[in-house]
Amino acid sequence: MTTNRVAMTMGLIVAAAISGTPAWSAEPDSRRQRGEETLLKTTGAQGREVIDSLKRISPELGDWIVDFAYGDVFSNPGLPLCTRELATISALTALGNAQPQLKVHIEGALNVGCKPDEIIQVITQMAVYAGFPSALNGIAAAKEVFEKRRVGPAFSDPAQRRTPAG
């Protein structure tokens, strides 16, 4: 693709994002609702806390996260949420500097049905593409989340698993 075509494509993507019209939906009014529902489904209270923490300093950033990231991208029917969370985990692991976000998305992956072993495999694969330090940091984040939720390889003994309340 030529430089001009790349620039035109990026311009169209940015224009669609700014216009507030999801590329896959004819219902822009439901964008915020979809975003809120998808944010809650994947990240639960953690995601809401992040958005709320932005209200005083940068409410626009919180709106963009809900509207674009969750209302347009995460809720797009083209991929299941589990696949989207695994892709997000791989990207955040590769970045190597997004531990808080990585932990939220590891939680999100578990919330939407991803298995701990799948999460570990995705993070481990990043050693090849992002380097061992990034993968090691990703595994450390997963370990912390797994220990908190008492899931994963360390809790494979059913006696160690958390029992549902009630």
Side-chain angles (χ1 to χ4, degrees), residues 27 87 92 103 123 127 139 146 165:
E27 304 153 6
L92 292 170
K103 291 174 191 172
I123 293 170
I139 289 295
F146 294 169

Side-chain angles (χ1 to χ4, degrees), residues 93-94 121-136 139:
T93 298
Q121 288 299 315
V122 165
I123 293 170
T124 302
Q125 184 168 334
M126 291 304 98
V128 176
Y129 297 98
F132 280 87
S134 292
L136 289 167
I139 289 295

Side-chain angles (χ1 to χ4, degrees), residues 36-116:
E36 292 286 355
E37 289 169 359
T38 305
L39 178 73
L40 181 63
K41 184 184 233 178
T42 56
T43 65
Q46 281 184 307
R48 175 68 356 218
E49 288 170 15
V50 170
I51 301 304
D52 290 346
S53 74
L54 295 169
K55 284 184 179 175
R56 290 184 54 151
I57 191 158
S58 182
E60 304 86 13
L61 183 56
D63 290 344
W64 296 342
I65 291 169
V66 172
D67 294 347
F68 179 65
Y70 287 91
D72 291 343
V73 179
F74 265 83
S75 64
N76 185 310
L79 283 176
L81 282 174
C82 184
T83 304
R84 290 186 185 283
E85 284 293 354
L86 292 174
T88 303
I89 289 167
S90 69
L92 292 170
T93 298
L95 283 172
N97 62 357
Q99 292 298 96
Q101 295 82 6
L102 178 57
K103 291 174 191 172
V104 168
H105 283 282
I106 291 169
E107 293 261 9
L110 294 169
N111 291 343
V112 298
C114 295
K115 294 179 177 30

